[in-house]
């Protein structure tokens, strides 16, 4: 009876040891191979803003800055929609096979970091366009491919670029900044 318990304990210990030491090596190899499939991609979006009264407001500095800020916020929203998606709520009322009312609401709640403002253009018709881009690293894309769509935002944050992506930007000599200057 004692020998049976010793054999059972020995087998349990052996299986536990194999699981602890063998499992980590295989998962690291498979993770490295899985992430190696993806190339980094750059997502580029535009955002738009305008003045209330184009002819009168174009000379007002405050309103020009507000139009620029509106285009920048629209670009961030478009970038968040492109990377993480949009939640859409909708309802429709149908009576006698005729659509009576149709309404939609969209919801975007995301955390974007590492986005870079590429250009701000003011068009002749008063529209201000902001072009932004974001580099999606292979580890972010690998995480997105493993996680269900509704958990991407919680489990797959966008990592900061792992290289010096601020070439051409104004840089401080003493500090490695995580922010880009316009």
């Amino acid at each position: 009876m004692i020998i049976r318990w010793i054999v059972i304990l020995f087998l349990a210990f052996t299986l536990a040891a194999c699981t602890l030491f063998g499992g980590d090596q295989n998962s690291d190899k498979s993770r490295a191979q899985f992430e190696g499939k993806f190339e980094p991609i750059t997502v580029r979006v535009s955002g738009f803003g305008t003045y209330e009264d184009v002819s009168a407001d174009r000379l007002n500095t405050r309103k020009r800055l507000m139009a620029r800020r509106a285009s920048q916020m629209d670009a961030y929203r478009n970038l968040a929609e492109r990377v993480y998606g949009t939640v859409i709520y909708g309802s429709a009322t149908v009576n006698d096979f005729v659509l009576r009312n149709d309404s939609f609401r969209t919801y975007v709640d995301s955390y974007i970091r590492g986005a870079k403002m590429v250009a701000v253009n003011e068009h002749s018709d008063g529209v201000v366009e902001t072009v932004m881009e974001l580099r999606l690293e292979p580890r972010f894309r690998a995480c997105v491919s493993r996680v269900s769509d509704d958990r991407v935002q919680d489990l797959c944050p966008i990592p900061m670029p792992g290289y010096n992506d601020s070439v051409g930007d104004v840089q401080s000599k003493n500090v490695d900044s995580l922010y880009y200057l316009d």
Side-chain angles (χ1 to χ4, degrees), residues 90-133:
S91 66
T93 305
V94 177
N95 190 6
D96 294 330
F97 298 105
V98 177
L99 181 66
R100 299 290 180 197
N101 185 14
D102 197 15
S103 64
F104 291 97
R105 291 183 308 150
T106 61
Y107 180 77
V108 178
D109 182 18
S110 294
Y111 182 69
I112 298 290
R113 63 180 181 180
K116 183 178 180 181
M117 194 178 310
V118 176
V120 177
N121 303 316
E122 188 171 341
H123 300 281
S124 60
D125 59 352
V127 173
V128 179
E129 176 187 18
T130 299
V131 180
M132 294 187 117
E133 66 180 27

Side-chain angles (χ1 to χ4, degrees), residues 45-48 69-83 108 110-117 130-134 179-180 182:
V45 296
S46 292
F48 299 96
R69 182 71 173 161
S71 71
Q72 185 179 6
M73 291 296 101
D74 188 45
Y76 275 120
R77 182 188 54 81
N78 288 335
L79 196 56
E81 285 179 357
R82 190 90 178 268
V83 172
V108 178
S110 294
Y111 182 69
I112 298 290
R113 63 180 181 180
K116 183 178 180 181
M117 194 178 310
T130 299
V131 180
M132 294 187 117
E133 66 180 27
L134 176 67
Y179 302 99
Y180 301 107
D182 310 343

Side-chain angles (χ1 to χ4, degrees), residues 3 5 11 25 32 35 48 51 73 103 107 111 123 135 138 157 161:
I3 295 175
W5 284 108
L11 288 174
Q25 293 171 353
E35 288 181 6
F48 299 96
Y51 310 105
M73 291 296 101
S103 64
Y107 180 77
Y111 182 69
H123 300 281
R135 182 181 165 106

